[in-house]
Amino acid sequence: MSTLPGGRLAPPPPVTRVAAGGLAFLIASVFAFVWATTATLEKLSEPQRSQNMLSQLLREPYRQGLQEAQRTQAGSPVVGDEDLVTFSIDRSAARDVNVATVLAERRAGELYANGLPRDPGIRRRTSMVFPRAFLNVFTASRHKNLKPAKTAALIGAATGFLLCAVIATGAARFLLPGAAAGMGWMLVNYHLRLINFWIERDAPGGLLIRGQFRVASFDARRQLVFVTVTLVVAGMVFRSLRGPMRVVMRSAQRHAEAPAETANSEEAPA
């Protein structure tokens, strides 16, 4: 339905307006998605959450490293220095079933504060099922960089919404930016589905990371839904009130013009 004056019988909008409106819609949708993604990664890289996930991912590599060191090394302490798994511990303490958890938590704190070391290539731990680029998200430096990135994406999304409102006419001034926010929400949910396919349920820490992604994205998705619903409702209210308001304005205009016409008729010569 056209939102230009004339309703259903209105002529179609110019091609340039349609093209500009579609481009503004895509810009707003992409920036809304980028904002929600950076907000999710910012929450995901918070200190407590990041160290918890890193320690979960490191427990199995540390357990395997300790078993291998005890089997291949003589004497005490047993030492490991392979990719992210580094330790030097007394042989008797290495037999404790909980020592892998303690070492993994300690190493997770170090990695979060100092960042991950360079990828060793062939010496990479095969039990680390996630790529190094993904693990780099769980570091303090990435957490600090994500805040300005989120602010920049928010400015881009707001600019896109404003362009949609300026280019569109009538109720579409609200409906078009609302649809862009809704598209951003759909893109976020689509990528969350892809994460569930990419992160295997049975992988070490897989279920934890799946759940943390959904929890970290909750606030961003909720805000996109709020913007979408608010703008769509505003557009519907504007459309429902537009007809009565136009009637009232025309009636007021006729009442204002009536005294002027009467005065002109009285002043006219007989």
Side-chain angles (χ1 to χ4, degrees):
M1 181 185 296
S2 175
T3 58
L4 292 172
R8 295 177 182 275
L9 302 178
V15 176
T16 54
R17 182 180 291 273
V18 174
L23 181 61
F25 172 80
L26 290 176
I27 291 173
S29 300
V30 169
F31 273 108
F33 163 69
V34 172
W35 170 81
T37 302
T38 52
T40 299
L41 293 177
E42 185 188 25
K43 280 190 170 294
L44 204 65
S45 60
E46 290 176 347
Q48 188 62 37
R49 183 175 279 121
S50 291
Q51 293 179 42
N52 186 24
M53 284 187 286
L54 278 174
S55 65
Q56 288 282 345
L57 296 175
L58 289 169
R59 284 179 187 178
E60 182 62 20
Y62 261 97
R63 187 184 66 80
Q64 294 179 3
L66 287 168
Q67 290 180 350
E68 182 180 349
Q70 292 179 77
R71 185 176 63 254
T72 59
Q73 298 177 19
S76 182
V78 291
V79 179
D81 185 12
E82 186 179 3
D83 196 7
L84 304 179
V85 178
T86 60
F87 58 87
S88 177
I89 187 172
D90 186 82
R91 178 175 291 274
S92 60
R95 298 191 184 98
D96 191 344
V97 293
N98 297 318
V99 70
T101 300
V102 175
L103 292 174
E105 291 176 352
R106 185 184 305 167
R107 182 61 172 159
E110 296 174 358
L111 293 175
Y112 181 81
N114 304 323
L116 273 68
R118 189 172 182 177
D119 193 338
I122 195 171
R123 294 182 64 247
R124 185 188 307 116
R125 290 292 300 189
T126 57
S127 54
M128 296 298 296
V129 296
F130 297 101
R132 187 62 57 95
F134 175 73
L135 297 178
N136 277 326
V137 175
F138 308 118
T139 57
S141 60
R142 292 298 175 91
H143 180 67
K144 293 177 182 178
N145 293 334
L146 283 168
K147 187 170 185 178
K150 184 180 72 171
T151 303
L154 180 61
I155 294 173
T159 303
F161 294 151
L162 182 61
L163 287 174
C164 289
V166 170
I167 294 171
T169 58
R173 293 187 187 276
F174 301 96
L175 297 177
L176 191 61
M183 178 61 70
W185 176 83
M186 291 177 63
L187 289 173
V188 173
N189 283 275
Y190 172 75
H191 281 78
L192 285 175
R193 294 286 184 182
L194 288 181
I195 287 172
N196 287 340
F197 283 108
W198 178 56
I199 300 177
E200 297 182 3
R201 183 188 298 269
D202 299 331
L207 285 176
L208 174 66
I209 293 178
R210 280 189 183 187
Q212 290 293 344
F213 261 104
R214 298 199 67 85
V215 171
S217 67
F218 176 76
D219 285 340
R221 289 184 294 143
R222 182 181 60 179
Q223 292 176 34
L224 285 178
V225 169
F226 175 78
V227 172
T228 301
V229 172
T230 300
L231 291 175
V232 169
V233 170
M236 295 174 63
V237 170
F238 179 84
R239 176 170 290 179
S240 63
L241 295 179
R242 190 178 184 187
M245 288 176 62
R246 184 178 298 172
V247 172
V248 171
M249 291 179 64
R250 287 178 178 175
S251 177
Q253 186 177 3
R254 285 196 300 267
H255 284 296
E257 293 174 352
E261 293 177 356
T262 304
N264 293 334
S265 62
E266 291 177 353
E267 292 176 0

